[in-house]
Amino acid sequence: MRLFIIAFAVGIWLLQQQAELLSLPWLTVSGLAALLMLALRRRLQGAPRAALAGRVLLLFMAAVLGFVWAAGFARLRLADELPLAMEGRDLEISGVVAGLPQSLERGLRFEFDVEQAASGVPQHISLAWYRSPDSADDDASSLIPVRAGERWRFTVRLKRPHGNFNPHGFDYEAWLFERDIRATGYVRPRSAERLDARVWRPSYAVEMLRETIRDRFRAALPDAPYAGILIALAIGDQQAVDAGLWQTFARTGITHLMSISGLHITMFAGLAYAVINWLWRRSPWLPLRLPAQHAAAAGGFLAAFFYCLLAGFAVPAQRTLYMLGVVACARLWGREVAASRVLLLALLLVLLLDPWAVLAAGFWLSFGAVALLFHIGSGRLGPAHWLIEWGRAQWAVTLGMLPALLALFQQFSLVSPPANAVAIPLVSFVITPLALAGTLPLLDPLLTLAHLVTAWLMNFIDWLADLPLAMWQQAAPPPWSVVLALAGGVWLLLPRGFPARWLGLLAFLPLLTASPSRPVAGDAEVTVLDVGQGLAIHVQTATHDLLFDAGPAFSADADSGNRIIAPYLRAMGVRRLDTLLISHADKDHEGGAASVLAALPVAVLKSSLPFEHPLSAQPVPQQPCIDGDKWDWDGVRFHILHPGPEPLSRKTNDLSCVLRVTAGGRSVLLTADIEAVSEIALLARHPSDLAAAAMIAPHQGSRTSSTPGFIAAVAARDVIFPVGYRNRFGHPREDVVARYVASGARLHRTDADGAVRLNLTGSGIMFRHEREQRRRYWHSRPGKLDP
């Protein structure tokens, strides 16, 4: 049974690696074939010599069944798809606010269940409602009165799920797909109308309760810096926690504690079990009808179920609930169930209900950590004092999770053991119980006490996070090193007395020392990152790294620097930048620069920024970006062609730095946001230096740039448009695209291709598109990308 579940899970995982789904006839045939193999295996069981063949057949059949099961769910979900013709159109819909509205910098975002709409509109979507003091803005409002469980009629504009796609980057489209969000969009508020204040369905009632609790916490702790932590612990709303705190949690390895985790649910269920068991035994007639242990087991499970609902039913909560359910059923039936069987039955239930759970990092970390704890608690390592047992558990989880953390996040906390030693008991046995008790009426003072304890804890956590060696960061390890380290961890955790267990440590060396390949001397790799409507380009030579622009800022706390560029550079093994070049003072080019400077050391900042710009105050050597600046790295030539000594206009775009990178006898021209006047000046100053094999389209394909003379002078064979999906500027403009097509150039677009990589070598230029390299069946396949 256990091997069957593991093979079934492998089949589901394999399905999620497919770029395309098998056709319905093939899936039907595969499912029927698996059932036939099951019957064949039963016949083989009668032959002793065929036992091995029967077991192999069973595992193969289980994998096929898992594959077919997940494919069936995927086909159903893909069928609920927004037609391309409906993107960007005004659509009238009505339905119910299905989840907690989350605050944005200028409004709210919420999930919405569509009840009435034109044919083709998905049933579950994500909407944003923006506010602005400018009442003339059709797409904004100064007041957003949306609450969970309300029925509304909206006029909206929708688009298919689409996310930035970069090497080692977060797959936003997979996250949306797993949550069954089949379109995203925004409300045009002048036509918004509330139809019902409450829609009484079980799922909506839960969300209403969660929102009521969140409002009570905010009212009780209006200016408390850690109120979001208490909200997350009580109702699982992780969006309530400030972004800066999550970085602190990551540096100290306590992220798993700062939301409703399996430990908290188990604790709550255990408390309910103990209370019900004690009360039940005090009754003279209840134990005669139902044994106290059975009643307590059922009550503990129901308590855990209620807490999971408050948590939003995330994968860690599901895993814990199903394990507790298996234990409760075993207790009711009077049977003992092995820990491994409990864990695998929970795994089976999670995957049966949510085959996309394998896409979430929390799935692997959750089940992996619990498996390690079960192993340590099984007694196979020998009995010992409780303190030693606790140390073994910490050692096992730290060691066992190391390969997964490096594979998923390219970092792990070195101060995690002391941080967890203090945080686990405080959060689990003091802060969380106080926060849960504070959800009840008239118990608001307990929230003040919980916040006081949290503040004490955070003082210690902040001190650990500020230590210079708090975090280990490295490049994304190759898959083979992860597998080898996992095998080494298993070897190290073998039962006491097994010879040479220490040799397992050697298996971790490739994981911790492997570094990605870099271009050879004379070659260069240019990566145009997918940062939406903006620009960020990484140029790498044999021993040097340059970042040209840093993409846009998304909000006060989020920008391309901390969301996309810094994680990408870390995964690529870049520990420092030799040059950060900010082309000009536009938010879509310099919005992430401060985060990049905070994330890793920079040798020099080149820019055309004015003296009063905030980046000018950064403690890093700075140089002006000016025509004539040249340098060589590892046989690769860098030449700045613009701006000249005299300003051409008052526009910041005409101050844009233009950089020519030459490697292997071929050049790439990085043009930023130059406009027609700058292109004319470049033609006058550098008529022979503009020719390039590839070029970044000036100003994302705006009508103010890409003049015919400039296109002819560059004569690029390949042109890259760094644009956002369905951006509001309409870039690239159709007439500009037509000019490049007429010139014979091949076009590449980050909105359709994801990050675009160019390898400049002596033998030519090789292009790679990230969406093609990592395509999965749920990924967006844009048609005509007009505004």
Side-chain angles (χ1 to χ4, degrees):
M1 181 64 180
R2 280 171 275 203
L3 290 176
F4 182 93
I5 294 174
I6 292 173
F8 184 85
V10 169
I12 288 178
W13 178 83
L14 287 174
L15 185 278
Q16 311 305 349
Q17 311 309 308
Q18 304 306 306
E20 302 286 347
L21 291 178
L22 291 177
S23 64
L24 187 58
W26 272 109
L27 289 176
T28 303
V29 170
S30 300
L32 291 175
L35 295 176
L36 287 174
M37 282 190 286
L38 176 61
L40 179 60
R41 177 182 175 273
R42 288 180 177 177
R43 298 186 66 177
L44 287 173
Q45 284 179 339
R49 295 182 180 180
L52 179 60
R55 175 161 294 190
V56 172
L57 193 62
L58 172 66
L59 297 181
F60 180 73
M61 175 204 66
V64 172
L65 287 176
F67 190 94
V68 172
W69 178 267
F73 273 76
R75 292 188 69 86
L76 289 174
R77 188 156 292 184
L78 287 175
D80 191 22
E81 185 175 53
L82 182 73
L84 285 169
M86 286 187 170
E87 287 193 300
R89 314 293 185 191
D90 281 350
L91 303 170
E92 185 174 293
I93 65 174
S94 62
V96 183
V97 179
L100 285 177
Q102 300 294 342
S103 296
L104 302 175
E105 191 171 18
R106 285 200 310 116
L108 295 175
R109 182 175 297 281
F110 52 92
E111 295 183 20
F112 193 74
D113 285 342
V114 178
E115 295 178 326
Q116 293 183 356
S119 176
V121 175
Q123 296 179 353
H124 192 64
I125 62 178
S126 174
L127 292 176
W129 190 341
Y130 298 106
R131 59 172 171 261
S132 170
D134 183 5
S135 59
D137 187 350
D138 288 341
D139 299 327
S141 170
S142 59
L143 179 64
I144 302 177
V146 173
R147 294 184 64 83
E150 294 178 337
R151 180 177 282 119
W152 282 79
R153 180 185 292 118
F154 293 132
T155 297
V156 299
R157 287 189 177 179
L158 301 177
K159 64 180 180 180
R160 293 181 169 198
H162 192 91
N164 302 119
F165 219 85
N166 294 288
H168 309 287
F170 175 67
D171 191 342
Y172 179 62
E173 292 174 40
W175 184 84
L176 290 175
F177 192 73
E178 195 270 337
R179 295 175 65 88
D180 196 21
I181 298 174
R182 303 299 295 130
T184 63
Y186 63 92
V187 174
R188 295 176 67 83
R190 290 189 175 181
S191 60
E193 178 186 2
R194 184 192 286 113
L195 302 178
D196 290 302
R198 293 287 186 269
V199 178
W200 292 105
R201 297 176 190 168
S203 60
Y204 302 149
V206 170
E207 295 303 319
M208 286 185 250
L209 175 61
R210 297 178 73 207
E211 187 169 21
T212 300
I213 293 173
R214 184 176 67 178
D215 292 345
R216 286 190 58 249
F217 275 50
R218 288 175 174 173
L221 303 168
D223 300 316
Y226 305 119
I229 294 177
L230 302 183
I231 293 173
L233 291 173
I235 63 170
D237 181 14
Q238 298 187 13
Q239 299 297 321
V241 182
D242 293 338
L245 289 177
W246 286 117
Q247 297 179 9
T248 300
F249 301 156
R251 285 185 61 83
T252 53
I254 63 170
T255 302
H256 64 102
L257 286 175
M258 296 305 170
S259 60
I260 297 179
S261 69
L263 179 60
H264 303 150
I265 294 172
T266 303
M267 176 206 68
F268 189 67
L271 178 62
Y273 179 95
V275 171
I276 294 172
N277 187 45
W278 185 83
L279 293 174
W280 205 269
R281 293 178 183 275
R282 295 301 176 273
S283 171
W285 58 274
L286 286 177
L288 299 177
R289 288 160 177 77
L290 182 67
Q293 290 184 343
H294 292 183
F301 176 78
L302 291 176
F305 178 70
F306 176 75
Y307 198 8
C308 284
L309 291 179
L310 286 181
F313 225 62
V315 169
Q318 291 180 42
R319 178 257 303 160
T320 305
L321 178 66
Y322 300 149
M323 285 194 296
L324 291 173
V326 173
V327 173
C329 289
R331 180 61 59 91
L332 291 173
W333 293 336
R335 300 181 59 182
E336 292 293 332
V337 183
S340 61
R341 192 178 296 272
V342 171
L343 183 63
L344 288 173
L345 285 173
L347 172 68
L348 179 63
L349 285 171
V350 169
L351 294 180
L352 284 174
L353 297 174
D354 182 10
W356 301 281
V358 295
L359 301 176
F363 171 87
W364 300 99
L365 298 177
S366 175
F367 277 98
V370 174
L372 289 167
L373 290 174
F374 277 169
H375 174 72
I376 294 300
S378 65
R380 291 199 300 159
L381 298 181
H385 188 271
W386 68 267
L387 189 60
I388 296 176
E389 292 289 352
W390 177 86
R392 285 176 175 172
Q394 287 290 316
W395 160 253
V397 171
T398 301
L399 186 72
M401 291 292 99
L402 177 59
L405 290 172
L406 289 180
L408 294 169
F409 307 114
Q410 295 83 55
Q411 60 184 18
F412 70 92
S413 173
L414 294 174
V415 297
S416 175
N420 278 281
V422 175
I424 287 177
L426 276 179
V427 172
S428 300
F429 303 111
V430 180
I431 299 173
T432 300
L434 288 173
L436 286 173
T439 63
L440 300 175
L442 306 179
L443 293 181
D444 290 357
L446 294 181
L447 296 178
T448 303
L449 178 58
H451 188 270
L452 180 61
V453 178
T454 304
W456 292 341
L457 172 63
M458 289 307 302
N459 287 333
F460 174 67
I461 295 300
D462 288 338
W463 176 75
L464 288 177
D466 290 338
L467 294 176
L469 297 179
M471 179 73 75
W472 173 281
Q473 301 187 30
Q474 66 170 66
W480 65 266
S481 68
V482 177
V483 175
L484 183 62
L486 288 172
V490 172
W491 186 276
L492 276 168
L493 296 175
L494 286 171
R496 179 182 299 175
F498 199 91
R501 285 188 299 160
W502 60 270
L503 289 175
L505 289 173
L506 299 179
F508 282 79
L509 292 179
L511 177 77
L512 299 173
T513 59
S515 59
S517 61
R518 298 180 65 98
V520 299
D523 294 349
E525 182 173 270
V526 180
T527 302
V528 184
L529 293 170
D530 179 11
V531 293
Q533 187 66 14
L535 186 65
I537 303 173
H538 176 217
V539 182
Q540 186 173 73
T541 68
T543 61
H544 294 80
D545 292 275
L546 175 144
L547 182 67
F548 185 96
D549 281 338
F554 307 130
S555 67
D557 298 321
D559 54 57
S560 295
N562 54 32
R563 292 293 178 89
I564 297 173
I565 299 171
Y568 158 80
L569 292 174
R570 180 172 64 244
M572 294 295 294
V574 178
R575 296 183 178 272
R576 68 186 296 272
L577 286 173
D578 298 281
T579 298
L580 172 60
L581 195 157
I582 302 300
S583 64
H584 65 296
D586 264 2
K587 287 296 184 183
D588 57 341
H589 291 254
E590 48 92 357
S595 294
V596 172
L597 289 167
L600 70 168
V602 174
V604 62
L605 171 64
K606 292 179 179 287
S607 75
S608 61
L609 300 173
F611 175 77
E612 63 273 13
H613 194 278
L615 287 177
S616 299
Q618 289 283 345
V620 57
Q622 302 191 28
Q623 298 175 5
C625 178
I626 193 166
D627 180 14
D629 190 6
K630 300 179 182 179
W631 68 93
D632 287 276
W633 286 343
D634 308 312
V636 178
R637 184 73 169 168
F638 295 81
H639 184 188
I640 294 179
L641 306 179
H642 190 75
E646 298 296 330
L648 298 174
S649 72
R650 294 183 178 180
K651 285 187 173 183
T652 58
N653 286 347
D654 289 316
L655 292 174
S656 295
C657 305
V658 175
L659 177 66
R660 188 169 186 253
V661 181
T662 304
R666 293 165 176 81
S667 298
V668 175
L669 193 65
L670 314 184
T671 58
D673 275 358
I674 58 171
E675 298 190 357
V677 64
S678 299
E679 294 178 358
I680 294 171
L682 279 167
L683 288 170
R685 293 200 314 268
H686 297 284
S688 59
D689 292 331
L690 293 178
M695 175 176 66
I696 309 301
H699 202 182
Q700 290 93 27
S702 163
R703 282 179 179 157
T704 61
S705 307
S706 298
T707 57
F710 187 74
I711 293 175
V714 178
R717 183 75 179 97
D718 293 273
V719 177
I720 303 166
F721 293 96
V723 291
Y725 182 67
R726 304 196 63 84
N727 63 85
R728 63 190 179 94
F729 305 102
H731 296 163
R733 291 293 183 175
E734 290 185 2
D735 53 341
V736 173
V737 172
R739 284 180 221 155
Y740 283 110
V741 171
S743 73
R746 295 176 299 191
L747 307 185
H748 313 262
R749 301 174 52 146
T750 56
D751 56 348
D753 301 320
V756 179
R757 291 188 182 186
L758 300 74
N759 288 96
L760 304 178
T761 67
S763 57
I765 300 182
M766 183 179 70
F767 281 82
R768 287 178 292 167
H769 298 156
E770 192 63 20
R771 278 193 177 269
E772 284 301 318
Q773 296 283 321
R774 293 170 48 210
R775 183 173 294 283
R776 297 294 184 266
Y777 65 86
W778 60 80
H779 285 148
S780 172
R781 288 162 173 76
K784 185 176 182 293
L785 293 171
D786 52 7

